[in-house]
Amino acid sequence: MGDYLAELGDEETGNVVTAALSMLSACGVLAVPLISWVEKRLGTLRSLHVVNGLGLAAFLPLLVKNLWCQLATCVLYVVYRAFLYSLLTVFVAQGFGEMSVGRIFGAVCLLTSVVQPVQYPLVEVVAAQCGGSLWIVNLILTLSIILPVLALCTFEWFEQGSAEHAVVLDDEVVVEVQTHGLSQELPERERAGECKLVKEEEEDCLLYTSPSPRDS
């Protein structure tokens, strides 16, 4: 981003926006209470939609060729980054187990380290084809938010399709929930006392009871 700020004339202002980005980068911890509130209120999957929305909001100002508009990116990107890494950790822990967090993030970082060296020459080539401007690179970055949005929507569709089915046993309804560690509705109802956890079959299969339809 520093090169883009220089392109917009930040050096002529004494690198004010660059300095603001550097200082704000350390302030992501201030978003932790908001992250916790959003995750508890919306659940993990819906909170990831918030993450994608923040990413889009952070990248859109990059398409405006105005130096001072980039202050919005400086603020929003810090919040977006805090949300992203916090909720991704929760997602991985709930979906694959806490013991898998290190392995999965390690694999992702390894893959990134392999691909990242190619990024710099690609940026230079694209910028050279566009008269030296990084605007087209920022456009590609902004449009890339489509990928996690599609991935999340696909995951939600898959989970809802295999979410739950019910059978009647005596005077109770036993609802078997294929949670994949992420379904929120019945665990929340359990905490509210509306249903009771019977047993845990496996990591991602829970049995709940609720009053029989004949009693309601």
Side-chain angles (χ1 to χ4, degrees):
M1 186 174 176
D3 292 338
Y4 187 59
L5 293 177
E7 178 186 327
L8 296 178
D10 193 34
E11 292 181 354
E12 298 174 3
T13 67
N15 295 314
V16 172
V17 180
T18 302
L21 177 61
S22 300
M23 289 187 292
L24 288 170
S25 296
C27 297
V29 66
L30 299 178
V32 170
L34 180 60
I35 296 170
S36 299
W37 181 82
V38 170
E39 199 278 331
K40 289 180 181 178
R41 187 173 183 84
L42 300 181
T44 304
L45 289 181
R46 291 180 180 177
S47 296
L48 289 174
H49 283 297
V50 175
V51 172
N52 290 332
L54 284 170
L56 181 61
F59 297 148
L60 279 176
L62 293 173
L63 303 181
V64 181
K65 291 187 176 182
N66 181 283
L67 177 63
W68 303 112
C69 285
Q70 308 316 311
L71 288 172
T73 293
C74 294
V75 174
L76 291 171
Y77 179 75
V78 171
V79 178
Y80 161 67
R81 191 169 181 272
F83 265 78
L84 175 65
Y85 286 105
S86 297
L87 290 171
L88 270 183
T89 302
V90 175
F91 174 82
V92 172
Q94 291 181 349
F96 304 97
E98 296 178 358
M99 298 297 294
S100 300
V101 173
R103 290 191 293 269
I104 291 176
F105 272 94
V108 171
C109 291
L110 177 62
L111 179 62
T112 302
S113 67
V114 173
V115 176
Q116 193 171 19
V118 184
Q119 171 185 336
Y120 299 104
L122 282 177
V123 169
E124 291 181 2
V125 169
V126 172
Q129 294 295 321
C130 300
S133 175
L134 293 173
W135 185 88
I136 189 65
V137 176
N138 292 330
L139 176 62
I140 295 172
L141 177 65
T142 303
L143 293 177
S144 68
I145 199 72
I146 295 174
L147 296 177
V149 169
L150 289 177
L152 181 56
C153 290
T154 301
F155 186 89
E156 283 186 313
W157 174 81
F158 171 77
E159 179 164 283
Q160 290 173 0
S162 60
E164 62 181 78
H165 63 272
V167 293
V168 176
L169 295 180
D170 297 328
D171 293 329
E172 291 183 324
V173 175
V174 176
V175 182
E176 183 179 354
V177 186
Q178 300 295 332
T179 64
H180 304 287
L182 295 168
S183 292
Q184 301 292 324
E185 181 180 354
L186 285 175
E188 290 174 357
R189 287 176 55 194
E190 181 198 4
R191 288 194 293 270
E194 297 177 7
C195 62
K196 180 181 178 182
L197 175 63
V198 179
K199 62 179 178 178
E200 183 173 343
E201 295 286 333
E202 297 176 353
E203 286 186 3
D204 61 353
C205 183
L206 306 177
L207 293 180
Y208 288 86
T209 63
S210 59
S212 169
R214 297 195 296 270
D215 298 333
S216 59

